[in-house]
Amino acid sequence: MSVVVAVKPSARKRNAKVGRLVAAEGTRHAFGSRAAAERWAESLSTGDGHVWIAAAHPADDDDVDCYLVSRATNAKLEAAYDKRRRRLRGGEGGKQQSLGGAE
């Protein structure tokens, strides 16, 4: 039994190894089993952005069994969230000021 995995854009954006793999070998890869595909995804995740195998929806028109996916995030937005969270917890001064500098 062959399991065909297509690489989603989110995985390419989040993981540099996946991006290089797609550039060299394309977006579709065949494996002997889903377990083999999951081991492949795990090996791609080491030291880089986390990627995993997700089953294709039964109504999906694409001729694949699974997708290699990730959560494409904006690191700048995540950092902004962390900064706000620290401020609300009282870290880094904890004092919030208006944009005009007046209190």
Side-chain angles (χ1 to χ4, degrees):
M1 175 180 102
S2 179
V3 175
V4 179
V5 177
V7 179
K8 288 294 212 177
S10 62
R12 292 193 304 254
K13 290 176 186 174
R14 185 82 168 153
N15 186 306
K17 287 185 228 172
V18 174
R20 288 190 294 274
L21 179 75
V22 168
E25 300 178 23
T27 59
R28 292 176 186 251
H29 302 271
F31 298 92
S33 66
R34 168 125 185 201
E38 289 176 347
R39 285 191 301 274
W40 174 67
E42 186 177 329
S43 73
L44 290 170
S45 292
T46 57
D48 212 339
H50 182 65
V51 293
W52 63 91
I53 300 295
H57 191 276
D60 195 338
D61 293 343
D62 225 352
D63 192 22
V64 297
D65 302 300
C66 301
Y67 291 102
L68 182 69
V69 298
S70 183
R71 285 193 176 83
T73 61
N74 186 331
K76 290 181 183 177
L77 290 178
E78 287 179 358
Y81 172 75
D82 290 343
K83 184 177 179 181
R84 181 174 181 264
R85 185 175 56 205
R86 284 192 304 269
R87 185 181 66 237
L88 291 173
R89 287 185 178 166
E92 294 183 13
K95 188 174 182 183
Q96 186 172 358
Q97 296 179 350
S98 69
L99 292 174
E103 292 184 30

